[in-house]
Amino acid sequence: MKIHHTLFFLLAASAFHAQVISGTVISKNENQPIPYVKIGIEKNSTGTISDEKGKFSIDLSNAEPQQKIKIEVPGYNSYQETIQNFKKHDQQKIVLTEKTKNIQEVTIKPKKLVDKNWGVNTKTKSVTYSVNPEFDKKSFLGETALEFNAKKRSKIKNINLNIASYVSTQPVLMRYSIYSEKNGFPDKNILEEEITVELTENMIKDGTYTLDVNDRNIWVQGKFFIGIQFLKDFDGRIRISAALFRTGFIREFYGDWQKMTLAAPAINIDVKMDKNGDNNPENESGLADDSTEALMPDVSKYIQESEQTVYGQNTAAGKYLKLQDTDLYYEVYGEGEPLILLHGNSGSIKDFYQQIPVLSKQYKVIAVDTRGQGKSIDSSKKDFTYKMFAEDVKALMDHLKLNKVSIAGWSDGGNTGLEFALKYPERLNKLITIGANAFPDGVDNRLTSHFENQMLVMKELKDPKKFNEQRLLKIMLTQPHITRKDLNKIGSRVLVIAGDKDVIKPEHTELIAKEIPNAELKIYNNATHMIPFENADQLNTDILNFLGKSN
């Protein structure tokens, strides 16, 4: 159930209409303009940001008179006023009062401080937040944030942002914020002064922009959020690396914060933690408790490694089989008894880059890109089913003149293997399933919730280019429908593999193994759903041992 996506972080503001209120924001104490101040309607996505001279214009045509306008910038007291009264300020000055800074002396002996790094460290280029002003030249005032949890009192030294790509003809203006937590969402900005950066490409080292905040004396404990916001239009695009199956937070201007369960931005921090300080009885990782983090770990390094291999893109070993509505891509390696490898949802042949070279020494390995995935193209408008995928496997066997095969299927590939075992029992020798499920309820409820939220996001986007991704998501939410009686009918020998921290419920994996008459069960200790990536050597050994056993 691995999904590779590009997540677009494109947040629109309202179009200009008739009633536009303009003004200048100035400091009361210094009587000077305040640059880059947020001006917007409270609990609403309508807003703007003042320019470097404190000047702003905001469209209030559709605003209700009793709604409140909110103006804020770190270091100054927040300004609020009803829309009705605020409209009287057109072309006038809005005065903000500087906050009184309560500087507290923090004295901790150096020997008590330990270095930690918390947050999302992935540098993947395949899963990203994309900031592209070209889609909205007037404004792109969205903000994204990541939640942290400091077990003990800690001082933030650096804030690191992993950037997959940077294209801009001028410096990109961005602001960092640090929020307290309330009811699981960002609340108040705790910074005493703003942190605004003009980011240029040469400031990004090895895919990371590191902001040194050590001198700002920022201490945190408990849950908090670090947010980033782009303040000014630029000619170009920035893509921020993101980690799948971790929770990020987004909002449009002063609108409510929303959880983005599809992915989280690659923000991580270097801290000095007070080793002997009071404990916060939460986790020690620094990253706030995200219920799916342990279930679906960051595998970007394996994806990057697979991209450097020939598998999945080998012109010498690869061919296409033309079927109705589908060009099915496959690669063949080695000689001997045939073994078909079936990858997981939205994966490809590349995912078996650690299995193919080992297994092909003893078997004829046929690795397949399932229809609509990898290099296989599907032009139909039908919903995908695992039975359909099983029929494709049978068609490929017929094409290659293979009477009988063994199948090793990971995740969705294992589901397809089970359907194949039921539909074409005479064509199957042995079956290995890795993290398979017989029906949707076998998947951990937390991950299912992520998928459901992801589906809502896709439906909201209404992007026809995402049709295939929606089909792949839908199949996980609605398929397969293999009953206990169906499992009882499988006569082939089956090795059922899963991790003890798999996204497949432990009792469900046990059910599959129990109900298949000739099944063996193997649970990997301290293993997730990503066994072919993270436990490659053990998996290769188990597959070879199982296939080598006499019937």
Side-chain angles (χ1 to χ4, degrees):
M1 296 187 177
K2 302 176 285 59
I3 306 178
H4 311 314
H5 293 279
T6 298
L7 180 65
F8 290 95
F9 178 61
L10 305 172
L11 303 174
S14 302
F16 278 80
H17 296 295
Q19 193 168 4
V20 176
I21 304 300
S22 300
T24 304
V25 184
I26 65 170
S27 165
K28 179 179 181 180
N29 292 359
E30 299 177 356
N31 196 30
Q32 294 294 321
I34 306 175
Y36 311 122
V37 179
K38 291 174 63 175
I39 304 103
I41 301 174
E42 189 176 28
K43 299 293 183 180
N44 194 286
S45 59
T46 298
T48 188
I49 291 177
S50 68
D51 65 15
E52 61 273 15
K53 296 181 180 179
K55 297 184 180 298
F56 70 91
S57 293
I58 184 170
D59 174 29
L60 299 176
S61 302
N62 299 320
E64 297 294 331
Q66 296 309 310
Q67 285 183 285
K68 289 186 178 181
I69 201 80
K70 186 175 182 179
I71 303 176
E72 65 178 10
V73 68
Y76 293 83
N77 292 317
S78 179
Y79 176 105
Q80 291 191 37
E81 192 171 20
T82 63
I83 299 293
Q84 180 177 322
N85 291 332
F86 183 74
K87 288 180 178 179
K88 301 174 184 178
H89 291 290
D90 189 21
Q91 302 299 331
Q92 297 184 23
K93 295 179 180 179
I94 304 298
V95 179
L96 297 187
T97 305
E98 289 189 31
K99 284 184 177 179
T100 301
K101 296 182 180 179
N102 298 317
I103 302 176
Q104 297 180 350
E105 186 70 23
V106 179
T107 305
I108 299 180
K109 296 180 180 179
K111 66 179 181 181
K112 294 183 180 180
L113 299 180
V114 293
D115 290 314
K116 296 286 184 179
N117 177 268
W118 300 331
V120 175
N121 288 281
T122 179
K123 291 187 177 180
T124 178
K125 296 184 179 181
S126 60
V127 185
T128 61
Y129 281 80
S130 181
V131 184
N132 192 341
E134 183 179 356
F135 285 91
D136 182 8
K137 286 292 185 183
K138 293 179 180 177
S139 187
F140 56 107
L141 305 177
E143 186 173 9
T144 184
L146 182 69
E147 186 176 4
F148 294 82
N149 191 358
K151 182 180 180 182
K152 298 182 178 181
R153 184 167 170 78
S154 304
K155 181 182 181 182
I156 302 177
K157 294 168 49 186
N158 299 308
I159 303 175
N160 306 304
L161 182 65
N162 292 348
I163 299 175
S165 69
Y166 176 102
V167 178
S168 178
T169 57
Q170 73 269 6
V172 175
L173 191 66
M174 54 188 291
R175 172 177 289 150
Y176 287 79
S177 299
I178 301 179
Y179 296 100
S180 60
E181 180 267 348
K182 183 177 181 181
N183 299 325
F185 289 90
D187 188 29
K188 297 179 180 179
N189 194 338
I190 64 173
L191 291 177
E192 294 288 348
E193 55 185 356
E194 68 169 342
I195 302 178
T196 302
V197 173
E198 290 187 339
L199 182 66
T200 60
E201 188 171 14
N202 62 8
M203 296 164 66
I204 303 168
K205 308 297 183 184
D206 190 27
T208 300
Y209 168 60
T210 297
L211 174 67
D212 185 347
V213 295
N214 190 54
D215 293 341
R216 293 178 180 266
N217 204 36
I218 304 170
W219 289 84
V220 290
Q221 185 169 8
K223 293 182 178 180
F224 63 98
F225 297 80
I226 293 181
I228 55 172
Q229 180 179 27
F230 293 84
L231 302 178
K232 188 176 180 181
D233 186 15
F234 63 93
D235 183 13
R237 184 180 73 171
I238 292 178
R239 292 171 55 229
I240 300 169
S241 295
L244 285 173
F245 307 106
R246 298 189 185 182
T247 300
F249 294 78
I250 61 172
R251 70 169 173 175
E252 298 182 43
F253 222 78
Y254 285 128
D256 290 336
W257 285 95
Q258 304 290 331
K259 284 187 177 182
M260 178 57 73
T261 57
L262 176 58
I267 302 171
N268 62 89
I269 57 176
D270 300 315
V271 303
K272 286 282 190 183
M273 186 180 74
D274 180 5
K275 188 176 181 180
N276 297 325
D278 294 334
N279 275 359
N280 170 13
E282 302 286 347
N283 65 44
E284 193 173 359
S285 67
L287 192 64
D289 180 26
D290 187 333
S291 57
T292 59
E293 179 190 350
L295 291 174
M296 300 294 284
D298 179 18
V299 293
S300 57
K301 74 171 185 176
Y302 299 103
I303 295 171
Q304 291 169 8
E305 286 177 3
S306 71
E307 295 287 345
Q308 303 304 313
T309 69
V310 69
Y311 304 113
Q313 50 196 353
N314 189 343
T315 55
K319 293 182 180 179
Y320 280 94
L321 170 62
K322 192 166 186 62
L323 301 173
Q324 185 177 3
D325 300 323
T326 297
D327 290 336
L328 198 69
Y329 180 77
Y330 65 97
E331 293 179 357
V332 180
Y333 298 90
E335 297 293 338
E337 295 180 14
L339 169 64
I340 292 180
L341 300 183
L342 302 175
H343 60 76
N345 192 292
S346 296
S348 73
I349 293 169
K350 295 177 184 178
D351 296 339
F352 290 114
Y353 76 100
Q354 296 182 85
Q355 282 70 51
I356 294 173
V358 176
L359 301 178
S360 62
K361 291 179 180 179
Q362 299 187 41
Y363 294 90
K364 182 176 185 177
V365 173
I366 302 106
V368 186
D369 277 347
T370 306
R371 69 163 63 202
Q373 300 163 72
K375 295 178 71 173
S376 291
I377 301 168
D378 182 274
S379 58
S380 74
K381 300 301 178 183
K382 300 177 183 177
D383 283 345
F384 289 144
T385 69
Y386 297 112
K387 290 180 180 178
M388 178 191 298
F389 296 163
E391 290 166 2
D392 290 343
V393 172
K394 191 259 187 184
L396 179 59
M397 288 176 59
D398 292 343
H399 173 71
L400 296 175
K401 296 181 173 54
L402 301 173
N403 181 52
K404 208 167 188 178
V405 301
S406 292
I407 294 175
W410 177 13
S411 193
D412 276 24
N415 301 352
T416 299
L418 291 172
E419 292 285 14
F420 187 92
L422 288 168
K423 192 163 187 177
Y424 306 106
E426 74 284 355
R427 307 292 296 272
L428 180 64
N429 182 18
K430 295 181 180 179
L431 172 64
I432 301 102
T433 66
I434 308 143
N437 59 293
F439 40 84
D441 285 348
V443 180
D444 190 288
N445 296 335
R446 293 168 292 177
L447 188 59
T448 299
S449 295
H450 273 258
F451 289 153
E452 289 171 346
N453 290 332
Q454 185 181 337
M455 180 65 84
L456 290 174
V457 171
M458 285 191 174
K459 287 181 177 179
E460 188 69 24
L461 289 174
K462 298 178 181 178
D463 185 352
K465 295 179 181 178
K466 300 291 183 182
F467 172 72
N468 199 60
E469 291 184 29
Q470 282 188 247
R471 286 195 293 183
L472 291 170
L473 192 55
K474 185 176 181 179
I475 192 175
M476 290 190 293
L477 290 169
T478 61
Q479 297 275 328
H481 299 293
I482 301 172
T483 66
R484 291 172 182 256
K485 289 184 178 180
D486 291 331
L487 294 172
N488 294 159
K489 297 175 184 177
I490 296 176
S492 301
R493 293 194 59 185
V494 181
L495 175 60
V496 179
I497 295 174
D500 61 352
K501 298 178 180 178
D502 210 300
V503 299
I504 307 302
K505 297 174 182 176
E507 62 271 21
H508 187 77
T509 300
E510 292 170 4
L511 179 146
I512 292 174
K514 179 181 178 181
E515 297 298 332
I516 297 175
N518 297 310
E520 300 177 27
L521 175 63
K522 183 151 191 179
I523 301 298
Y524 287 18
N525 293 327
N526 197 31
T528 70
H529 192 63
M530 300 304 179
I531 286 173
F533 281 162
E534 299 179 327
N535 307 82
D537 292 342
Q538 184 179 356
L539 177 62
N540 292 341
T541 298
D542 288 338
I543 290 176
L544 290 173
N545 288 341
F546 179 70
L547 293 178
K549 289 181 181 178
S550 59
N551 291 318

